[in-house]
Amino acid sequence: MSARVVVVGSFNVDHVWTVADLPRPGETLSGHYHTGPGGKGFNQATAVARAGAAASFVCALGDDLGGQLARALAVADDIDLHDLPSEAPTGTAGIYVDESGRNSIVIGPGANADLSAEFVATQADLIASANVLLAQLESPLPAIEAAFAAARAASVYTVLNPAPADAAIPASLLALADVITPNETEFCAQLEQHAGERVDARSVGSMDDAALHALCRRLLPHGTVVVTLGAAGCFVSHAETVLRGDAREHYRVPAARVRPVDTTGAGDAFNGALAASWTRRPVQAFADHLHYANRYAALSTERAGAAAAMPHDAEVRARFG
Ligand code: ADP
């Protein structure tokens, strides 16, 4: 079995200003500025590579400095890049963060919006060579669905991170997912959309396990749901017939204890590490991969930044054994 993860998704150049207060209309402020790579797709591809699996990244990039940055970073992290050249500018995110950690964000999808089902179809052999396909929803749905269809045709495992929370996921895409990995907000958004059930996201973490499992079964009857719970770790719910090497249908995995300084990209770290661990150690129980993903994501919160904060496998092992 190949030890490769193919990630399909977005690349953004993040521009971050830290200010005392968020700017009001018409106001001009000065603040501390920094920039770095981001985009859920690239963050997750970086996590896959640094967690020790071979990583391929399918995306769309502009012919500009942002595109050059993506290419240079892919080389540095040994990420096998398959990019659709776009005439649009490379994706960007403008982020203001105030002193209490609140933020305002504007995303310019740019080239990311050009990722097409046609281009993804040209990557079918690459997808078929993978053990796991991982995608999020910052890219056009037809492209993601084409990737999942190619993976399913080749019996490659599919992991869908249904983020951001406002993404409208067609039932046909959910049907192609072996595993979905929402956070609490994304879980509730998808539950309302697909099962007509309204649940307060703040109540998910403290919900009775059997009740949470029942909700997961309604959302993805055929597959595995992993709900990430921030500092509380994660909850997993398997279909009765597909336990993925686990003894139990549902259980929680507590988070690792760390001193977080920036939880941006924690979900991306979790997803990349989960896919990498599943790919590298396919015969191990799913619970082992979740333990690893929790540790990996926890360590990422001790560093500032998105893709730049992803730890290496050796650092995770040195820290947690
Ligand atoms: P998202 O970043 O998508 O909102 P979560 O906040 O649920 O996702 O975090 C994803 C994962 O990151 C969690 O399941 C956990 O493993 C880890 N994590 C997040 N915050 C913390 C924290 N404060 N301490 C330890 N681990 C954390």
PDB file of all heavy atoms in Angstrom, residues 215-244:
ATOM      1  N   LEU A 215     -26.394  11.434  16.812  1.00  0.00           N
ATOM      2  CA  LEU A 215     -26.405  12.558  15.863  1.00  0.00           C
ATOM      3  C   LEU A 215     -25.401  12.310  14.727  1.00  0.00           C
ATOM      4  O   LEU A 215     -25.683  12.580  13.554  1.00  0.00           O
ATOM      5  CB  LEU A 215     -26.073  13.866  16.583  1.00  0.00           C
ATOM      6  CG  LEU A 215     -27.142  14.420  17.524  1.00  0.00           C
ATOM      7  CD1 LEU A 215     -26.609  15.645  18.266  1.00  0.00           C
ATOM      8  CD2 LEU A 215     -28.421  14.777  16.754  1.00  0.00           C
ATOM      9  N   CYS A 216     -24.234  11.797  15.091  1.00  0.00           N
ATOM     10  CA  CYS A 216     -23.214  11.492  14.065  1.00  0.00           C
ATOM     11  C   CYS A 216     -23.736  10.459  13.076  1.00  0.00           C
ATOM     12  O   CYS A 216     -23.493  10.555  11.863  1.00  0.00           O
ATOM     13  CB  CYS A 216     -21.941  10.954  14.724  1.00  0.00           C
ATOM     14  SG  CYS A 216     -21.046  12.152  15.708  1.00  0.00           S
ATOM     15  N   ARG A 217     -24.457   9.475  13.600  1.00  0.00           N
ATOM     16  CA  ARG A 217     -24.990   8.415  12.715  1.00  0.00           C
ATOM     17  C   ARG A 217     -26.005   9.000  11.734  1.00  0.00           C
ATOM     18  O   ARG A 217     -26.122   8.522  10.601  1.00  0.00           O
ATOM     19  CB  ARG A 217     -25.649   7.296  13.551  1.00  0.00           C
ATOM     20  CG  ARG A 217     -24.741   6.425  14.401  1.00  0.00           C
ATOM     21  CD  ARG A 217     -23.640   5.737  13.587  1.00  0.00           C
ATOM     22  NE  ARG A 217     -22.460   6.537  13.437  1.00  0.00           N
ATOM     23  CZ  ARG A 217     -21.811   6.750  12.272  1.00  0.00           C
ATOM     24  NH1 ARG A 217     -22.242   6.249  11.145  1.00  0.00           N
ATOM     25  NH2 ARG A 217     -20.735   7.480  12.220  1.00  0.00           N
ATOM     26  N   ARG A 218     -26.755  10.008  12.185  1.00  0.00           N
ATOM     27  CA  ARG A 218     -27.726  10.626  11.267  1.00  0.00           C
ATOM     28  C   ARG A 218     -27.012  11.432  10.189  1.00  0.00           C
ATOM     29  O   ARG A 218     -27.453  11.493   9.048  1.00  0.00           O
ATOM     30  CB  ARG A 218     -28.684  11.530  12.050  1.00  0.00           C
ATOM     31  CG  ARG A 218     -29.673  10.703  12.861  1.00  0.00           C
ATOM     32  CD  ARG A 218     -30.645  11.571  13.586  1.00  0.00           C
ATOM     33  NE  ARG A 218     -31.437  12.410  12.707  1.00  0.00           N
ATOM     34  CZ  ARG A 218     -32.222  13.397  13.117  1.00  0.00           C
ATOM     35  NH1 ARG A 218     -32.300  13.670  14.393  1.00  0.00           N
ATOM     36  NH2 ARG A 218     -32.923  14.103  12.267  1.00  0.00           N
ATOM     37  N   LEU A 219     -25.887  12.043  10.559  1.00  0.00           N
ATOM     38  CA  LEU A 219     -25.178  12.881   9.594  1.00  0.00           C
ATOM     39  C   LEU A 219     -24.446  12.046   8.546  1.00  0.00           C
ATOM     40  O   LEU A 219     -24.460  12.377   7.365  1.00  0.00           O
ATOM     41  CB  LEU A 219     -24.186  13.797  10.334  1.00  0.00           C
ATOM     42  CG  LEU A 219     -23.355  14.734   9.465  1.00  0.00           C
ATOM     43  CD1 LEU A 219     -24.248  15.618   8.592  1.00  0.00           C
ATOM     44  CD2 LEU A 219     -22.448  15.600  10.334  1.00  0.00           C
ATOM     45  N   LEU A 220     -23.791  10.965   8.981  1.00  0.00           N
ATOM     46  CA  LEU A 220     -23.017  10.153   8.023  1.00  0.00           C
ATOM     47  C   LEU A 220     -23.252   8.671   8.329  1.00  0.00           C
ATOM     48  O   LEU A 220     -22.400   8.008   8.923  1.00  0.00           O
ATOM     49  CB  LEU A 220     -21.513  10.486   8.119  1.00  0.00           C
ATOM     50  CG  LEU A 220     -20.676  10.047   6.921  1.00  0.00           C
ATOM     51  CD1 LEU A 220     -20.932  10.960   5.721  1.00  0.00           C
ATOM     52  CD2 LEU A 220     -19.186  10.044   7.257  1.00  0.00           C
ATOM     53  N   PRO A 221     -24.419   8.141   7.929  1.00  0.00           N
ATOM     54  CA  PRO A 221     -24.792   6.783   8.345  1.00  0.00           C
ATOM     55  C   PRO A 221     -23.772   5.710   7.958  1.00  0.00           C
ATOM     56  O   PRO A 221     -23.575   4.744   8.687  1.00  0.00           O
ATOM     57  CB  PRO A 221     -26.119   6.548   7.603  1.00  0.00           C
ATOM     58  CG  PRO A 221     -26.662   7.915   7.324  1.00  0.00           C
ATOM     59  CD  PRO A 221     -25.469   8.804   7.145  1.00  0.00           C
ATOM     60  N   HIS A 222     -23.076   5.901   6.835  1.00  0.00           N
ATOM     61  CA  HIS A 222     -22.196   4.835   6.342  1.00  0.00           C
ATOM     62  C   HIS A 222     -20.751   4.970   6.822  1.00  0.00           C
ATOM     63  O   HIS A 222     -19.942   4.076   6.597  1.00  0.00           O
ATOM     64  CB  HIS A 222     -22.189   4.855   4.808  1.00  0.00           C
ATOM     65  CG  HIS A 222     -21.592   6.135   4.272  1.00  0.00           C
ATOM     66  ND1 HIS A 222     -22.323   7.282   4.116  1.00  0.00           N
ATOM     67  CD2 HIS A 222     -20.322   6.446   3.905  1.00  0.00           C
ATOM     68  CE1 HIS A 222     -21.534   8.244   3.649  1.00  0.00           C
ATOM     69  NE2 HIS A 222     -20.312   7.761   3.517  1.00  0.00           N
ATOM     70  N   GLY A 223     -20.383   6.106   7.429  1.00  0.00           N
ATOM     71  CA  GLY A 223     -18.955   6.356   7.653  1.00  0.00           C
ATOM     72  C   GLY A 223     -18.626   6.813   9.058  1.00  0.00           C
ATOM     73  O   GLY A 223     -19.444   6.748   9.981  1.00  0.00           O
ATOM     74  N   THR A 224     -17.383   7.283   9.209  1.00  0.00           N
ATOM     75  CA  THR A 224     -16.853   7.698  10.507  1.00  0.00           C
ATOM     76  C   THR A 224     -16.916   9.216  10.638  1.00  0.00           C
ATOM     77  O   THR A 224     -16.539   9.939   9.716  1.00  0.00           O
ATOM     78  CB  THR A 224     -15.385   7.221  10.632  1.00  0.00           C
ATOM     79  OG1 THR A 224     -15.369   5.797  10.629  1.00  0.00           O
ATOM     80  CG2 THR A 224     -14.736   7.743  11.905  1.00  0.00           C
ATOM     81  N   VAL A 225     -17.411   9.682  11.788  1.00  0.00           N
ATOM     82  CA  VAL A 225     -17.428  11.114  12.081  1.00  0.00           C
ATOM     83  C   VAL A 225     -16.468  11.366  13.239  1.00  0.00           C
ATOM     84  O   VAL A 225     -16.564  10.719  14.284  1.00  0.00           O
ATOM     85  CB  VAL A 225     -18.847  11.597  12.474  1.00  0.00           C
ATOM     86  CG1 VAL A 225     -18.838  13.092  12.787  1.00  0.00           C
ATOM     87  CG2 VAL A 225     -19.850  11.288  11.363  1.00  0.00           C
ATOM     88  N   VAL A 226     -15.529  12.285  13.020  1.00  0.00           N
ATOM     89  CA  VAL A 226     -14.634  12.717  14.098  1.00  0.00           C
ATOM     90  C   VAL A 226     -14.969  14.173  14.374  1.00  0.00           C
ATOM     91  O   VAL A 226     -14.759  15.029  13.520  1.00  0.00           O
ATOM     92  CB  VAL A 226     -13.150  12.590  13.693  1.00  0.00           C
ATOM     93  CG1 VAL A 226     -12.255  13.073  14.837  1.00  0.00           C
ATOM     94  CG2 VAL A 226     -12.801  11.168  13.287  1.00  0.00           C
ATOM     95  N   VAL A 227     -15.533  14.455  15.551  1.00  0.00           N
ATOM     96  CA  VAL A 227     -15.842  15.839  15.910  1.00  0.00           C
ATOM     97  C   VAL A 227     -14.678  16.352  16.756  1.00  0.00           C
ATOM     98  O   VAL A 227     -14.397  15.799  17.827  1.00  0.00           O
ATOM     99  CB  VAL A 227     -17.156  15.946  16.720  1.00  0.00           C
ATOM    100  CG1 VAL A 227     -17.505  17.411  16.962  1.00  0.00           C
ATOM    101  CG2 VAL A 227     -18.301  15.244  16.001  1.00  0.00           C
ATOM    102  N   THR A 228     -13.993  17.397  16.257  1.00  0.00           N
ATOM    103  CA  THR A 228     -12.899  17.945  17.069  1.00  0.00           C
ATOM    104  C   THR A 228     -13.485  18.928  18.079  1.00  0.00           C
ATOM    105  O   THR A 228     -14.412  19.686  17.773  1.00  0.00           O
ATOM    106  CB  THR A 228     -11.811  18.614  16.209  1.00  0.00           C
ATOM    107  OG1 THR A 228     -12.372  19.726  15.509  1.00  0.00           O
ATOM    108  CG2 THR A 228     -11.210  17.625  15.217  1.00  0.00           C
ATOM    109  N   LEU A 229     -12.940  18.881  19.301  1.00  0.00           N
ATOM    110  CA  LEU A 229     -13.531  19.609  20.432  1.00  0.00           C
ATOM    111  C   LEU A 229     -12.530  20.558  21.080  1.00  0.00           C
ATOM    112  O   LEU A 229     -12.566  20.773  22.303  1.00  0.00           O
ATOM    113  CB  LEU A 229     -14.041  18.586  21.468  1.00  0.00           C
ATOM    114  CG  LEU A 229     -15.066  17.552  20.974  1.00  0.00           C
ATOM    115  CD1 LEU A 229     -15.272  16.442  22.007  1.00  0.00           C
ATOM    116  CD2 LEU A 229     -16.398  18.228  20.647  1.00  0.00           C
ATOM    117  N   GLY A 230     -11.621  21.126  20.280  1.00  0.00           N
ATOM    118  CA  GLY A 230     -10.656  22.080  20.814  1.00  0.00           C
ATOM    119  C   GLY A 230      -9.850  21.475  21.953  1.00  0.00           C
ATOM    120  O   GLY A 230      -9.318  20.360  21.823  1.00  0.00           O
ATOM    121  N   ALA A 231      -9.793  22.190  23.083  1.00  0.00           N
ATOM    122  CA  ALA A 231      -8.986  21.744  24.224  1.00  0.00           C
ATOM    123  C   ALA A 231      -9.527  20.467  24.866  1.00  0.00           C
ATOM    124  O   ALA A 231      -8.891  19.900  25.753  1.00  0.00           O
ATOM    125  CB  ALA A 231      -8.919  22.847  25.267  1.00  0.00           C
ATOM    126  N   ALA A 232     -10.714  20.010  24.420  1.00  0.00           N
ATOM    127  CA  ALA A 232     -11.274  18.755  24.950  1.00  0.00           C
ATOM    128  C   ALA A 232     -10.951  17.568  24.040  1.00  0.00           C
ATOM    129  O   ALA A 232     -11.455  16.465  24.268  1.00  0.00           O
ATOM    130  CB  ALA A 232     -12.774  18.890  25.148  1.00  0.00           C
ATOM    131  N   GLY A 233     -10.145  17.769  23.004  1.00  0.00           N
ATOM    132  CA  GLY A 233      -9.735  16.641  22.160  1.00  0.00           C
ATOM    133  C   GLY A 233     -10.723  16.355  21.049  1.00  0.00           C
ATOM    134  O   GLY A 233     -11.095  17.254  20.302  1.00  0.00           O
ATOM    135  N   CYS A 234     -11.196  15.109  20.964  1.00  0.00           N
ATOM    136  CA  CYS A 234     -12.146  14.778  19.892  1.00  0.00           C
ATOM    137  C   CYS A 234     -13.048  13.623  20.299  1.00  0.00           C
ATOM    138  O   CYS A 234     -12.775  12.901  21.258  1.00  0.00           O
ATOM    139  CB  CYS A 234     -11.410  14.451  18.586  1.00  0.00           C
ATOM    140  SG  CYS A 234     -10.353  12.998  18.666  1.00  0.00           S
ATOM    141  N   PHE A 235     -14.139  13.485  19.556  1.00  0.00           N
ATOM    142  CA  PHE A 235     -15.104  12.394  19.734  1.00  0.00           C
ATOM    143  C   PHE A 235     -15.174  11.658  18.412  1.00  0.00           C
ATOM    144  O   PHE A 235     -15.238  12.295  17.349  1.00  0.00           O
ATOM    145  CB  PHE A 235     -16.480  12.976  20.087  1.00  0.00           C
ATOM    146  CG  PHE A 235     -17.575  11.955  20.174  1.00  0.00           C
ATOM    147  CD1 PHE A 235     -17.783  11.235  21.346  1.00  0.00           C
ATOM    148  CD2 PHE A 235     -18.397  11.703  19.080  1.00  0.00           C
ATOM    149  CE1 PHE A 235     -18.797  10.280  21.426  1.00  0.00           C
ATOM    150  CE2 PHE A 235     -19.415  10.746  19.157  1.00  0.00           C
ATOM    151  CZ  PHE A 235     -19.612  10.036  20.337  1.00  0.00           C
ATOM    152  N   VAL A 236     -15.160  10.328  18.446  1.00  0.00           N
ATOM    153  CA  VAL A 236     -15.273   9.569  17.197  1.00  0.00           C
ATOM    154  C   VAL A 236     -16.501   8.682  17.237  1.00  0.00           C
ATOM    155  O   VAL A 236     -16.852   8.127  18.281  1.00  0.00           O
ATOM    156  CB  VAL A 236     -13.994   8.746  16.904  1.00  0.00           C
ATOM    157  CG1 VAL A 236     -13.713   7.729  17.984  1.00  0.00           C
ATOM    158  CG2 VAL A 236     -14.096   8.045  15.541  1.00  0.00           C
ATOM    159  N   SER A 237     -17.149   8.585  16.085  1.00  0.00           N
ATOM    160  CA  SER A 237     -18.349   7.760  15.933  1.00  0.00           C
ATOM    161  C   SER A 237     -18.223   6.972  14.639  1.00  0.00           C
ATOM    162  O   SER A 237     -18.120   7.553  13.557  1.00  0.00           O
ATOM    163  CB  SER A 237     -19.580   8.677  15.873  1.00  0.00           C
ATOM    164  OG  SER A 237     -20.690   8.001  15.321  1.00  0.00           O
ATOM    165  N   HIS A 238     -18.182   5.636  14.765  1.00  0.00           N
ATOM    166  CA  HIS A 238     -18.103   4.772  13.583  1.00  0.00           C
ATOM    167  C   HIS A 238     -19.476   4.199  13.243  1.00  0.00           C
ATOM    168  O   HIS A 238     -20.312   4.006  14.134  1.00  0.00           O
ATOM    169  CB  HIS A 238     -17.195   3.570  13.853  1.00  0.00           C
ATOM    170  CG  HIS A 238     -15.759   3.901  14.075  1.00  0.00           C
ATOM    171  ND1 HIS A 238     -14.984   4.563  13.157  1.00  0.00           N
ATOM    172  CD2 HIS A 238     -14.931   3.614  15.121  1.00  0.00           C
ATOM    173  CE1 HIS A 238     -13.744   4.666  13.625  1.00  0.00           C
ATOM    174  NE2 HIS A 238     -13.692   4.121  14.815  1.00  0.00           N
ATOM    175  N   ALA A 239     -19.657   3.844  11.981  1.00  0.00           N
ATOM    176  CA  ALA A 239     -20.820   3.037  11.613  1.00  0.00           C
ATOM    177  C   ALA A 239     -20.608   1.639  12.201  1.00  0.00           C
ATOM    178  O   ALA A 239     -19.468   1.176  12.304  1.00  0.00           O
ATOM    179  CB  ALA A 239     -20.942   2.963  10.097  1.00  0.00           C
ATOM    180  N   GLU A 240     -21.677   1.010  12.584  1.00  0.00           N
ATOM    181  CA  GLU A 240     -21.607  -0.301  13.240  1.00  0.00           C
ATOM    182  C   GLU A 240     -20.779  -1.301  12.430  1.00  0.00           C
ATOM    183  O   GLU A 240     -20.064  -2.143  12.976  1.00  0.00           O
ATOM    184  CB  GLU A 240     -23.046  -0.815  13.389  1.00  0.00           C
ATOM    185  CG  GLU A 240     -23.224  -1.984  14.293  1.00  0.00           C
ATOM    186  CD  GLU A 240     -24.684  -2.469  14.278  1.00  0.00           C
ATOM    187  OE1 GLU A 240     -25.537  -1.761  13.695  1.00  0.00           O
ATOM    188  OE2 GLU A 240     -24.932  -3.532  14.819  1.00  0.00           O
ATOM    189  N   THR A 241     -20.865  -1.182  11.108  1.00  0.00           N
ATOM    190  CA  THR A 241     -20.222  -2.162  10.227  1.00  0.00           C
ATOM    191  C   THR A 241     -18.778  -1.802   9.868  1.00  0.00           C
ATOM    192  O   THR A 241     -18.070  -2.602   9.281  1.00  0.00           O
ATOM    193  CB  THR A 241     -21.025  -2.259   8.922  1.00  0.00           C
ATOM    194  OG1 THR A 241     -21.264  -0.925   8.457  1.00  0.00           O
ATOM    195  CG2 THR A 241     -22.334  -2.978   9.133  1.00  0.00           C
ATOM    196  N   VAL A 242     -18.338  -0.574  10.186  1.00  0.00           N
ATOM    197  CA  VAL A 242     -16.993  -0.119   9.780  1.00  0.00           C
ATOM    198  C   VAL A 242     -16.275   0.473  10.988  1.00  0.00           C
ATOM    199  O   VAL A 242     -16.277   1.677  11.198  1.00  0.00           O
ATOM    200  CB  VAL A 242     -17.063   0.958   8.659  1.00  0.00           C
ATOM    201  CG1 VAL A 242     -15.697   1.157   8.032  1.00  0.00           C
ATOM    202  CG2 VAL A 242     -18.091   0.602   7.605  1.00  0.00           C
ATOM    203  N   LEU A 243     -15.635  -0.379  11.781  1.00  0.00           N
ATOM    204  CA  LEU A 243     -15.017   0.109  13.020  1.00  0.00           C
ATOM    205  C   LEU A 243     -13.560   0.532  12.825  1.00  0.00           C
ATOM    206  O   LEU A 243     -12.934   1.047  13.746  1.00  0.00           O
ATOM    207  CB  LEU A 243     -15.102  -0.967  14.107  1.00  0.00           C
ATOM    208  CG  LEU A 243     -16.514  -1.298  14.582  1.00  0.00           C
ATOM    209  CD1 LEU A 243     -16.479  -2.401  15.640  1.00  0.00           C
ATOM    210  CD2 LEU A 243     -17.219  -0.077  15.141  1.00  0.00           C
ATOM    211  N   ARG A 244     -12.991   0.315  11.649  1.00  0.00           N
ATOM    212  CA  ARG A 244     -11.620   0.739  11.311  1.00  0.00           C
ATOM    213  C   ARG A 244     -10.589   0.299  12.350  1.00  0.00           C
ATOM    214  O   ARG A 244      -9.720   1.061  12.754  1.00  0.00           O
ATOM    215  CB  ARG A 244     -11.553   2.259  11.127  1.00  0.00           C
ATOM    216  CG  ARG A 244     -12.599   2.771  10.153  1.00  0.00           C
ATOM    217  CD  ARG A 244     -12.357   4.168   9.666  1.00  0.00           C
ATOM    218  NE  ARG A 244     -13.506   4.648   8.910  1.00  0.00           N
ATOM    219  CZ  ARG A 244     -13.819   4.260   7.677  1.00  0.00           C
ATOM    220  NH1 ARG A 244     -13.043   3.414   7.031  1.00  0.00           N
ATOM    221  NH2 ARG A 244     -14.893   4.717   7.069  1.00  0.00           N
TER     222      ARG A 244
END
